[in-house]
Amino acid sequence: MKRLFLAAAAVLAAGVASAQVPLFAARCPSGITADSNTKGQVYVNGKVAKLIKRPDGQITAQSGGVYIDITPRGSEPPRVTATARDKTFGECEIVSFKAPDSQSAATGAAASAGPLAGTQWRLVEFQSMDEAKGTTRPGDGTLYTMWLHGDGTVTMQLNCNRAMGKWSARPGGDAASGSFEFGPLAATRALCPPPSMDESIVAQSANVRSYLLKDGRLHLSLMADGGIYVWEGDGIAASAAAPAAPENGGPRNWEVTRALSLREQPSTAAPVLATYRPGTILDNLGCQQAQGRAWCDVQQLGGGPRGYVAAEHLRPAISPDGSAAMGPDDSALRAGQGNFDATGRLPCAFAAGQPMGQCEFGVARAGGGYATVVAKKPDGRTRAIFFHMGRPLGADVAESEGRHDFGATKDGDLHRIRIGSERYEIPDAVILGG
């Protein structure tokens, strides 16, 4: 009943000035984290939440069955409470907050932070000032990436985990060095295969105090000679480098950060094929340098015209499992080899009006909501269904089968898929694991 009231209140709020989301980070009971960014988005456990803004000014953020209620209090930290999936309710601890009159200044500082705003970096090493510890390097630097977005938010891929938060910098006289700070980072807590540097990076981020750009590398120094994290980009400004394609360890998908034109060629003079709104998800088909900037070859997730967009208005898209999916999607290959991550039975039917029965299935997952589900039909043949970013996008329909229209709807966490007369019901847990 409470949630129905909130939904009704959201409808009543149409046309009423919406409440401003305060800029905060909070730690809640049951291990729940909540934070917001300068765009007015709220993240719950690292995932973008759906917002319900009520006429009384209260804001409810919902994600994955968790509800965060936010009561703005002007220049004072907001009151934040959390209702977990098991209905456990508790007050959240505010770990950082910026009053409304300082938010615009903070955003402007990040957006004008010299050569750092809008750059991407890959971890090279951590240099400890303790000779006994020496230098620590990641086994694979491509698993540790950092994006310093121009809106003052930071996105990190840290081995099998992901972190998000705020950053700010104040360049010195030559802009190649200056002060630097991270706000509290909200990070996922998966147990990564050892050795892993994800926990130390998140824990020590609060101690970063300065930066230095030298020889194409970004050096972030900890307070009290605690050590230096060294990140690498191509050239002094990493934003000038063309981001990697998935086959080279880059993100599989991009999220558009501002209204953006899709062009026929990597040039501002090329014809416009389409216009994307902020939040649009695109497939990363590779990037290149042209006209002194990076351009990415893209296509909207699910289909549409293919063309080029300016890379500075993209950031790695966040998948339903809270990660930024990196590297190639090998789920279809492994499914074809029978190399499944899980097997079981799922509801299925094969004729109009036929009641749902049960089909054996196997699923190969590639992380980030990428998966291939193979269902075994009664005649012994199989049907493969392909998921990208948690969305069913198609199936392996052969020409000899004739026309089999593909359609999908979602009811809660259940995907209802129709392929001609075939019907399948596949829950999110099959795709995402858990």
Side-chain angles (χ1 to χ4, degrees), residues 29-328:
S30 302
I32 297 169
T33 61
D35 67 291
S36 63
N37 63 18
T38 55
K39 293 182 178 180
Q41 296 173 307
V42 175
Y43 292 83
V44 177
N45 291 334
K47 299 181 182 179
V48 178
K50 178 181 178 181
L51 296 185
I52 301 172
K53 297 184 178 181
R54 296 166 50 180
D56 62 3
Q58 186 171 350
I59 302 163
T60 297
Q62 186 272 330
S63 176
V66 175
Y67 292 84
I68 302 294
D69 292 308
I70 306 161
T71 304
R73 297 192 292 189
S75 60
E76 297 295 319
R79 180 174 184 260
V80 180
T81 59
T83 303
R85 296 183 66 177
D86 63 0
K87 308 306 179 185
T88 302
F89 176 84
E91 193 93 14
C92 301
E93 175 191 0
I94 303 298
V95 295
S96 73
F97 167 69
K98 287 190 177 180
D101 59 357
S102 64
Q103 288 185 22
S104 59
T107 303
S112 62
L116 297 182
T119 59
Q120 180 188 11
W121 304 91
R122 181 177 65 253
L123 182 63
V124 176
E125 62 189 20
F126 174 68
Q127 302 171 354
S128 174
M129 298 297 105
D130 184 344
E131 293 184 0
K133 295 181 180 180
T135 299
T136 303
R137 296 184 177 87
D140 183 355
T142 62
L143 297 179
Y144 297 82
T145 57
M146 175 174 68
W147 287 66
L148 300 174
H149 303 296
D151 64 355
T153 60
V154 58
T155 304
M156 294 182 181
Q157 186 70 36
L158 303 174
N159 200 345
C160 68
N161 282 306
R162 177 180 167 274
M164 300 186 70
K166 312 294 189 299
W167 72 280
S168 63
R170 187 178 298 277
D174 61 358
S177 63
S179 62
F180 188 104
E181 289 187 0
F182 287 113
L185 296 181
T188 57
R189 300 177 180 178
L191 185 61
C192 302
S196 184
M197 299 176 66
D198 59 315
E199 292 184 0
S200 60
I201 292 172
V202 172
Q204 294 178 331
S205 64
N207 297 328
V208 174
R209 289 295 181 269
S210 64
Y211 79 89
L212 170 66
L213 284 168
K214 184 178 180 181
D215 299 328
R217 292 185 171 186
L218 172 63
H219 300 72
L220 296 181
S221 299
L222 306 182
M223 61 187 296
D225 289 331
I228 301 172
Y229 280 97
V230 182
W231 303 78
E232 184 175 46
D234 291 335
I236 295 297
S239 57
E247 55 266 30
N248 295 319
R252 295 176 197 156
N253 297 94
W254 299 114
E255 178 187 353
V256 175
T257 61
R258 49 157 285 182
L260 188 58
S261 295
L262 177 74
R263 297 187 180 272
E264 191 174 272
Q265 298 294 330
S267 168
T268 54
V272 174
L273 302 176
T275 301
Y276 297 132
R277 295 181 178 180
T280 302
I281 304 300
L282 308 175
D283 290 327
N284 176 13
L285 305 176
C287 302
Q288 65 184 71
Q289 282 283 353
Q291 297 185 333
R293 68 197 306 186
W295 292 84
C296 291
D297 183 2
V298 300
Q299 184 177 37
Q300 188 167 351
L301 180 67
R306 179 174 173 176
Y308 295 85
V309 295
E312 62 260 37
H313 304 309
L314 304 174
R315 64 183 173 192
I318 304 307
S319 304
D321 65 0
S323 69
M326 311 289 283

